[in-house]
């Protein structure tokens, strides 16, 4: 069997170019006692990976130069020397970008229900869904009738956030780029309104969409979009900060309006979070998310790129707004 891996060849400045990724031929290593050999079926690409390509201090260690990049992977066990796993089992875990992966089982878990599309374990039934669930419900705490705003609302996390907010009885306004994505929010996901941040009249259109102000703002984007939304916070508003994708490829520091006066005047809570902090509740949250999916109350859109060689391209799509919902790569058999 031919094996191949993708390593970080250099640390990017700005938007990563092709020279950031290097494909290398490697051997398929036979598993030792306690190990398994995995064939990836789906590989997730996520915006947070851009931060790990730099060596700036962060909440997680950076990717190492000349070492494989890695992230969440759904795969199939090809050979097992661990009694807890058998050939044919489907698993999910944080694994390197390789065509075949030989690892211990510390960082993988068995997928118990293969009756749903397996790529859901990289989106709604995986860390994406957990991020949406905990950020919104633990920090945002939407109440029935409140107004919830979601930026990057057609993306992997944002689309789930908005649907959970609707389940909780909130009025939901999504922010997305382009008419097609805005229509997707209202016509497919059931958002109450959508606003196109690419439109020239974005600030005016957003103000019209929130006549009663903003009670919860689920922050995925930062930048100028955030500057507009924060002007409309209600008293005691809550702002879970999940990410700031607008600044990930900036070559210089992202400088914008100072927000302290807004927070003081509104007595709002603005809190960044890391989904791993809620690991103790992943099991119960996962059951609830699966129930909502099975009931048809959460719709999941997935943008699929085909082929191992196209992983870098799929990653770059995230920063060009080309994906709808979760971006994954299906690895050819």
């Amino acid at each position: 069997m031919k094996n191949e891996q993708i390593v970080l060849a250099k640390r990017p400045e700005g938007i990563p170019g092709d020279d950031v990724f290097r494909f290398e031929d490697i051997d398929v290593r036979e598993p030792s006692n306690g190990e398994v050999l995995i064939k990836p079926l789906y590989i997730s690409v996520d915006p947070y990976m851009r931060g790990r390509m730099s060596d700036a201090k962060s909440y997680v260690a950076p990717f190492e130069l000349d070492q494989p990049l890695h992230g969440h992977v759904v795969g199939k066990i090809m050979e097992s020397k661990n009694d807890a796993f058998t050939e044919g089992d489907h698993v999910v875990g944080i694994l390197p970008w390789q065509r075949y992966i030989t690892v211990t089982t510390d960082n993988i878990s068995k997928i118990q229900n293969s009756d749903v599309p397996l790529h859901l374990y990289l989106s709604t039934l995986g860390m994406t869904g957990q991020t949406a669930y905990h950020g919104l419900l633990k920090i945002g705490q939407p109440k029935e009738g409140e107004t919830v705003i979601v930026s990057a609302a057609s993306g992997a996390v944002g689309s789930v956030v908005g649907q959970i907010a609707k389940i909780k009885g909130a009025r939901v306004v999504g922010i997305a780029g382009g008419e097609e994505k805005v229509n997707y929010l209202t016509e497919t996901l059931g958002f109450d309104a959508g606003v196109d941040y690419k439109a020239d009249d974005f600030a005016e259109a957003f103000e019209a969409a929130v006549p009663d102000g903003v009670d919860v703002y689920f922050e995925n984007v930062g930048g100028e979009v955030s500057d507009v939304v924060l002007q409309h916070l209600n008293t005691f508003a809550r702002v879970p900060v999940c990410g700031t994708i607008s600044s990930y490829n900036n070559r210089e520091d992202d400088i914008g309006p100072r927000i302290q006066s807004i927070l003081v005047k509104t007595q709002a809570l603005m809190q960044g979070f890391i989904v791993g902090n809620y690991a103790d509740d992943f099991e119960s949250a996962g059951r609830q998310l699966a129930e909502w999916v099975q009931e048809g109350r959460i719709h999941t859109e997935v943008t699929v790129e085909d082929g191992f060689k196209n992983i870098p391209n799929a990653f770059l799509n995230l920063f060009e707004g080309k994906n709808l919902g979760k971006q994954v790569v299906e690895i050819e058999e």
Side-chain angles (χ1 to χ4, degrees), residues 102-219:
T102 304
V103 291
T104 64
T105 58
D106 295 340
N107 293 321
I108 64 172
S109 58
K110 190 181 302 185
I111 292 175
Q112 302 297 336
N113 181 6
S114 298
D115 294 332
V116 300
L118 290 172
H119 58 65
L120 287 182
Y121 290 95
L122 298 178
S123 58
T124 308
L125 301 183
M127 286 301 103
T128 297
Q130 295 282 352
T131 300
Y133 181 97
H134 294 288
L136 179 66
L137 299 184
K138 301 293 176 57
I139 301 172
Q141 300 183 20
K143 301 176 181 62
E144 187 171 355
E146 288 190 325
T147 297
V148 174
I149 309 303
V150 188
S151 57
S154 66
V157 173
S159 59
V160 178
V161 169
Q163 292 176 90
I164 295 175
K166 287 299 298 179
I167 290 171
K168 296 300 180 179
R171 179 176 180 271
V172 180
V173 178
I175 301 171
E179 183 178 354
E180 180 182 356
K181 289 184 177 180
V182 169
N183 290 338
Y184 166 72
L185 298 179
T186 56
E187 296 174 8
T188 301
L189 301 186
F191 286 34
D192 295 283
V195 186
D196 181 2
Y197 75 85
K198 294 182 178 180
D200 293 337
D201 65 342
F202 166 63
E204 294 79 7
F206 181 79
E207 182 175 12
V210 292
D212 298 320
V214 175
D215 299 297
V216 179
Y217 173 38
F218 195 98
E219 170 71 287

Side-chain angles (χ1 to χ4, degrees), residues 180-306:
E180 180 182 356
K181 289 184 177 180
V182 169
N183 290 338
Y184 166 72
L185 298 179
T186 56
E187 296 174 8
T188 301
L189 301 186
F191 286 34
D192 295 283
V195 186
D196 181 2
Y197 75 85
K198 294 182 178 180
D200 293 337
D201 65 342
F202 166 63
E204 294 79 7
F206 181 79
E207 182 175 12
V210 292
D212 298 320
V214 175
D215 299 297
V216 179
Y217 173 38
F218 195 98
E219 170 71 287
N220 283 309
V221 170
E224 295 178 0
V225 169
S226 181
D227 296 342
V228 170
V229 177
L230 294 175
Q231 295 296 323
H232 298 276
L233 294 184
N234 287 333
T235 302
F236 302 123
R238 288 83 66 198
V239 184
V241 181
C242 177
T244 57
I245 193 173
S246 68
S247 65
Y248 288 171
N249 292 308
N250 286 359
R251 294 177 180 268
E252 299 178 353
D253 290 340
D254 190 29
I255 304 298
R258 272 62 173 179
I259 64 170
Q260 288 89 338
S261 61
I262 295 174
L263 298 179
V264 171
K265 290 175 183 177
T266 61
Q267 302 167 73
L269 168 71
M270 190 173 191
Q271 180 178 336
F273 73 96
I274 301 168
V275 67
N277 293 341
Y278 301 100
D280 290 346
D281 196 32
F282 279 1
E283 186 174 346
S284 62
R287 287 196 299 268
Q288 179 63 84
L289 289 163
E291 181 179 318
W292 284 335
V293 169
Q294 291 167 345
E295 292 173 349
R297 303 181 76 182
I298 291 183
H299 171 84
T300 299
E301 193 76 32
V302 176
T303 299
V304 179
E305 188 89 17
D306 291 324

Side-chain angles (χ1 to χ4, degrees), residues 306-327:
D306 291 324
F308 186 83
K309 67 180 183 299
N310 290 322
I311 293 176
N313 183 62
F315 174 72
L316 295 178
N317 284 347
L318 297 171
F319 304 99
E320 298 176 9
K322 293 182 178 180
N323 62 299
L324 187 62
K326 185 74 179 75
Q327 176 76 66

